[in-house]
């Protein structure tokens, strides 16, 4: 009974504020305030307020909220662990298989010779701008990026 009275008072105050706002020629804002002011009365009329009042004093309802909270904590924990490990089991297995180097090219029947058959070439001298990024490249390589 008290909840219905409070909701009616809040709605009446909101509608009063909407009238004052409309008097100041701010009709869009007044309509928005009136819409918000009518929500508590609508909740009382549909019975949501009674349901909430019954739920607030029910131990079974609070136990249900506890179970929902526990399920949320479990879900969040499993997502965190999955992200730290790098995905699902299939994704980790595929990443391990891709990380192993192949000694033979997929279409070749014999191992490739590698760099032994090419003459050694000197690397081009690094420009001054490359020195700035060398430590960044080292950090990225260290982390496998």
């Amino acid at each position: 009974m008290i909840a219905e009275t409070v909701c009616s008072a809040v709605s009446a105050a909101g509608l009063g504020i909407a009238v004052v706002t409309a008097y100041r020629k701010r009709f869009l804002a007044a309509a928005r305030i009136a819409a918000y002011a009518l929500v508590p009365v609508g909740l009382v009329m549909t019975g949501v307020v009674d349901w909430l009042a019954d739920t607030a004093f029910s131990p079974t309802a609070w136990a249900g909220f506890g179970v929902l909270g526990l399920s949320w904590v479990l879900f969040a924990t499993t997502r965190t662990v999955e992200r730290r490990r790098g995905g699902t089991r299939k994704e980790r297995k595929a990443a391990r298989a891709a990380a192993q180097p192949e000694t033979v090219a997929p279409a070749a029947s014999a191992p490739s010779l590698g760099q032994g058959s090419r003459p050694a070439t000197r690397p081009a001298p690094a420009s001054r701008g490359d020195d700035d990024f060398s430590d960044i490249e080292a950090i990225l390589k260290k982390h496998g990026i």
Side-chain angles (χ1 to χ4, degrees), residues 4-141:
E4 290 88 1
T5 306
V6 169
C7 288
S8 299
V10 167
S11 291
L15 289 173
I17 293 170
V19 168
V20 170
T21 306
Y23 180 75
R24 293 181 181 169
K25 309 261 188 229
R26 298 183 63 207
F27 298 110
L28 185 63
R32 197 171 290 140
I33 292 169
Y36 283 122
L38 292 174
V39 170
V41 170
L43 291 175
V44 167
M45 293 174 76
T46 57
V48 172
V49 174
D50 287 333
W51 177 79
L52 284 174
D54 292 340
T55 302
F57 300 111
S58 170
T60 306
W62 284 107
F65 286 126
V67 169
L68 288 174
L70 177 65
S71 69
W72 180 82
V73 167
L74 288 173
F75 178 73
T77 304
T78 57
R79 291 284 295 171
T80 303
V81 169
E82 184 179 70
R83 285 183 182 168
R84 285 183 177 235
R85 287 189 180 172
T88 63
R89 182 178 293 170
K90 287 182 181 180
E91 292 171 350
R92 289 191 306 271
K93 190 175 182 181
R96 263 185 270 139
Q100 295 175 351
E102 294 182 3
T103 57
V104 178
S109 60
S112 59
L113 296 175
Q115 291 185 358
S117 64
R118 280 192 220 155
T121 59
R122 296 175 99 181
S127 67
R128 184 175 177 146
D130 290 340
D131 293 336
D132 296 336
F133 294 109
S134 62
D135 45 340
I136 296 173
E137 289 177 10
I139 293 170
L140 292 174
K141 285 180 184 177

